Amino acid sequence: MLFAATLSLLALPNVWAQSSVADAYVASESPLARAGMLANIGPSGSQSLGAFPGIVIASPSTVNPDYLFTWTRDSAVAFSAIVNQFALGIDTTTRGEIDDYVASQVIVQQIPNPSGDLASGGLGEPKFNINETAFTGPWGRPQRDGPALRSIALITWANFLLSESNTSYVTDTLWPIIENDLNYVAANWNESTFDLWEELNSSSFFTTAVQHRVLHQGVSLATALGQPESLVSNYETQANFVLCFLQTYWNTAGHITANTGGGRSGIDANTVLASIHTFDAAAGCDALTFQPCSDLALLNLHTYVDAFRSLYEINSGFASNEAVLTGRYPEDVYMGGNPWYLTTLAVAEQLYDSLIVWNSQKSLEVTSTSLAFFQIFDSSIAAGTYASSSSQFTSLTGAIKTFSDGFVAAVANHTPANGGLAEQISNTNGTPVSAVDLTWSFAAALTTFDARKGVVPASWGAKGLSLSCAGEPIPQTVFCDFQRRCYYYFWAYVYPLFLAICRLMLFGARIENIYLTGSVDALEDWSTETALLMSSANYPIWSITVTLPANTDIQYKYINIDGSALTWESDPNNEFTTPASGTFVTHDTWR
Ligand code: NOJ
Ligand code: NOJ
């Protein structure tokens, strides 16, 4: 009997075994990951090495690399996991840690540091010493995802406490911390930032995505707490702008461009992490917020995973429908450039989140955008909506579950017996590399395991959002990704030839006067005196509509006139050819 069972198991495809590896790993690693994470929280965590109460160390590693600091990002990611589990009743033993974290962040927010003080940008400081003093060495600063992630964690906690009628603690203790973070996000989201990997200073998808989420949540919480209408409406206005900006990261090559600067491919775990950190099951597969099962996020995931297949020696020999180990981004050279535990787990988590939604909505949509992703599992699948009663739904979701489990199994295969999760996995021999016992790796394991079990985090209000990237007057500014989306463009039917130019200012803190000038009469023949003033009604987007000659090659540039100072965009000129009839819309970013 036993022998027969063993034989049939061996006869099953290799990938099947991965689900049983994942089952066993979830069972054994869950308590170890939980313990590993709590061990890194001061003052009583066994590895916290003198960290003050509620302070989370990134890792107990003190050399190569020295991670014995507290990062706002890593700490918030850990506490998001802890607070979610508490609020959902999965683990309600952590109240002491949560209270300590809250108390510690009151202090940390006030520490003057190289990014500034509380009122002058200090909230963007990425990391502090574990005794709650400033880290003053050189670093990639500011990192503007930190305040957003921290307030996401604290708002989850606040909403839970409100549901338990603990309004006074929320109002008196949590709200002041949250409000500081929200005001920082509202005021600074369009300023450049170092990315979550602390390397590139530009705009970064992960940062923008979590900023959008928290501004949106800020509207609801501030309203619930009776905060002034002016504050609420500012969060709302900024959230709308941020959602518009978020759309601009889509790259028609089939992925989200993780950073606006840096000159890399743009393929980056940044985008997968953004999707899982903004998951809202109530929003279904909405692509505006890049929900895990949205077609954009699925195609992005496919592009991301495939970028690592032939990159790492350790990934060789796996078929295209089998999981591999993934890293931060293909060009990464940090510690040799290796797969990471938390990024490989993020792939699984995005797919488990997707399965939660497909199973609950009882259908799955394959669009022309997500087709390439679904064809991994069924090369003959066609675009369409497949109800849960269909054989396609059953086979696709089954195959995707197996695929997801493969990423967990890959991590399992490189986890030492004590369950410790380092930062990285050697790209050649699979041994742990870089910081040991990384808090974020443990947190990633816990949230991935929960998603695998079907745990649905609290909604943050992503459902039913729409873009309103322009107010009055019409014509509205349009964001198109040229592949599939174009919004609110009815003036296109009114004018025979129509040019709308909008310009996205990423780095301007205040409203500036932006003009358009170019190579034809309608664009003032390169004049700077009579250049066309663009509307900033939809700041930080400038727009203008111009009637242009048909079939004509047009060159143009934007200029910034500030009193007597005139700044031209850098070369070369922008250029396009007008169509024979109809409209042409272009979106440019100031160079
Ligand atoms: C330390 C940062 O934490 C890491 O993300 C980065 O890759 C290295 N410095 C190299 O810049
Ligand atoms: C380097 C990672 O790139 C960064 O995201 C993280 O915050 C720090 N290490 C600390 O874990």
Side-chain angles (χ1 to χ4, degrees):
M1 196 55 197
L2 187 64
F3 185 59
T6 307
L7 269 186
S8 68
L9 193 151
L10 286 174
L12 285 163
N14 181 32
V15 288
W16 180 86
Q18 305 204 324
S19 290
S20 60
V21 171
D23 283 338
Y25 185 62
V26 169
S28 65
E29 183 66 20
S30 288
L32 299 174
R34 176 183 177 280
M37 191 172 65
L38 296 179
N40 286 352
I41 302 174
S44 38
S46 61
Q47 301 218 69
S48 62
L49 298 170
F52 277 24
I55 291 292
V56 183
I57 64 168
S59 150
S61 171
T62 54
V63 284
N64 196 28
D66 182 0
Y67 276 15
L68 191 56
F69 296 94
T70 186
W71 270 262
T72 302
R73 172 181 38 260
D74 298 47
S75 307
V77 166
F79 269 98
S80 269
I82 291 171
V83 164
N84 262 314
Q85 287 206 335
F86 195 108
L88 297 169
I90 297 166
D91 181 352
T92 54
T93 65
T94 47
R95 188 146 205 149
E97 282 86 355
I98 297 171
D99 288 344
D100 282 352
Y101 173 64
V102 171
S104 75
Q105 297 311 296
V106 174
I107 297 166
V108 168
Q109 281 193 334
Q110 309 279 344
I111 303 172
N113 62 65
S115 296
D117 59 22
L118 178 58
S120 64
L123 295 180
E125 182 69 3
K127 71 174 196 179
F128 294 85
N129 296 320
I130 63 172
N131 64 356
E132 297 175 343
T133 59
F135 167 76
T136 55
W139 208 253
R141 57 169 66 92
Q143 296 178 20
R144 302 186 199 272
D145 56 334
L149 292 167
R150 173 170 52 207
S151 44
I152 286 172
L154 295 179
I155 290 176
T156 305
W157 187 229
N159 289 339
F160 168 72
L161 294 176
L162 288 178
S163 77
E164 301 226 303
S165 304
N166 194 347
T167 314
S168 58
Y169 178 81
V170 173
T171 303
D172 300 342
T173 304
L174 292 180
W175 174 252
I177 321 173
I178 294 167
E179 186 185 10
N180 285 337
D181 282 341
L182 288 172
N183 291 347
Y184 177 86
V185 173
N188 294 292
W189 65 267
N190 64 341
E191 300 284 333
S192 61
T193 176
F194 275 84
D195 70 318
L196 79 172
W197 309 133
E198 319 192 279
E199 295 170 340
L200 297 180
N201 191 13
S202 64
S203 291
S204 192
F205 182 79
F206 176 82
T207 305
T208 304
V210 294
Q211 287 174 333
H212 169 255
R213 173 184 167 160
V214 84
L215 285 172
H216 196 77
Q217 289 184 280
V219 172
S220 314
L221 182 62
T223 304
L225 298 179
Q227 293 299 312
E229 171 55 29
S230 56
L231 194 74
V232 174
S233 71
N234 183 41
Y235 296 161
E236 196 159 25
T237 304
Q238 300 308 322
N240 284 335
F241 280 143
V242 183
L243 186 59
C244 293
F245 181 37
L246 194 66
Q247 312 309 309
T248 67
Y249 289 90
W250 180 254
N251 182 321
T252 49
H255 63 90
I256 300 160
T257 301
N259 301 291
T260 57
R264 297 178 188 155
S265 62
I267 298 170
D268 195 313
N270 166 320
T271 61
V272 181
L273 290 162
S275 189
I276 63 176
H277 284 282
T278 58
F279 174 45
D280 184 344
C285 298
D286 180 31
L288 272 189
T289 52
F290 295 86
Q291 286 301 310
C293 59
S294 66
D295 56 358
L296 296 182
L298 291 173
L299 178 60
N300 178 68
L301 187 77
H302 177 42
T303 307
Y304 164 74
V305 170
D306 277 3
F308 297 91
R309 288 189 180 279
S310 55
L311 188 69
Y312 302 141
E313 188 184 326
I314 188 121
N315 284 341
S316 61
F318 291 94
S320 61
N321 65 349
E322 288 183 290
V324 289
L325 295 165
T326 64
R328 296 193 299 184
Y329 52 92
E331 301 88 346
D332 196 1
V333 294
Y334 180 45
M335 301 279 172
N338 294 297
W340 282 40
Y341 289 94
L342 73 93
T343 58
T344 306
L345 288 166
V347 175
E349 186 169 336
Q350 185 185 328
L351 294 172
Y352 293 140
D353 288 346
S354 300
L355 288 162
I356 287 171
V357 173
W358 291 325
N359 287 323
S360 93
Q361 70 186 18
K362 297 190 166 41
S363 72
L364 164 166
E365 191 190 4
V366 177
T367 71
S368 58
T369 300
S370 57
L371 190 60
F373 166 77
F374 287 103
Q375 282 177 338
I376 303 171
F377 312 103
D378 177 353
S379 58
S380 63
I381 197 74
T385 299
Y386 299 96
S388 58
S389 53
S390 66
S391 60
Q392 290 94 336
F393 181 95
T394 308
S395 66
L396 282 175
T397 54
I400 292 169
K401 168 70 165 48
T402 304
F403 185 58
S404 324
D405 284 347
F407 292 89
V408 174
V411 164
N413 291 337
H414 300 101
T415 301
N418 69 1
L421 296 178
E423 184 182 69
Q424 310 183 22
I425 301 165
S426 161
N427 65 41
T428 53
N429 63 22
T431 55
V433 173
S434 189
V436 293
D437 295 331
L438 190 80
T439 307
W440 192 353
S441 296
F442 290 131
L446 293 180
T447 56
T448 304
F449 298 167
D450 279 349
R452 186 173 190 262
K453 290 175 193 143
V455 171
V456 181
S459 169
W460 59 267
K463 182 180 177 182
L465 295 182
S466 57
L467 284 182
S468 81
C469 301
E472 301 299 322
I474 15 192
Q476 307 216 352
T477 303
V478 188
F479 275 96
C480 300
D481 63 20
F482 295 150
Q483 182 169 322
R484 59 187 291 278
R485 296 198 290 224
C486 225
Y487 296 96
Y488 321 130
Y489 207 15
F490 68 91
W491 273 63
Y493 303 105
V494 180
Y495 285 111
L497 190 59
F498 174 49
L499 166 69
I501 294 176
C502 74
R503 173 174 167 246
L504 189 64
M505 283 291 286
L506 303 185
F507 307 125
R510 65 198 166 77
I511 301 218
E512 293 157 295
N513 292 321
I514 304 296
Y515 294 78
L516 171 66
T517 187
S519 59
V520 291
D521 285 355
L523 295 180
E524 301 298 323
D525 298 308
W526 291 117
S527 166
T528 55
E529 282 85 14
T530 59
L532 307 171
L533 177 62
M534 299 181 74
S535 165
S536 61
N538 308 311
Y539 178 81
I541 297 152
W542 282 256
S543 58
I544 193 169
T545 301
V546 190
T547 302
L548 294 167
N551 293 318
T552 306
D553 183 68
I554 308 273
Q555 298 203 5
Y556 64 96
K557 262 191 182 179
Y558 302 103
I559 52 182
N560 179 354
I561 302 179
D562 184 8
S564 60
L566 187 155
T567 314
W568 284 89
E569 274 194 303
S570 60
D571 286 323
N573 295 331
N574 300 303
E575 182 166 17
F576 67 94
T577 302
T578 54
S581 65
T583 66
F584 183 90
V585 186
T586 179
H587 319 269
D588 301 310
T589 302
W590 174 271
R591 291 186 323 243

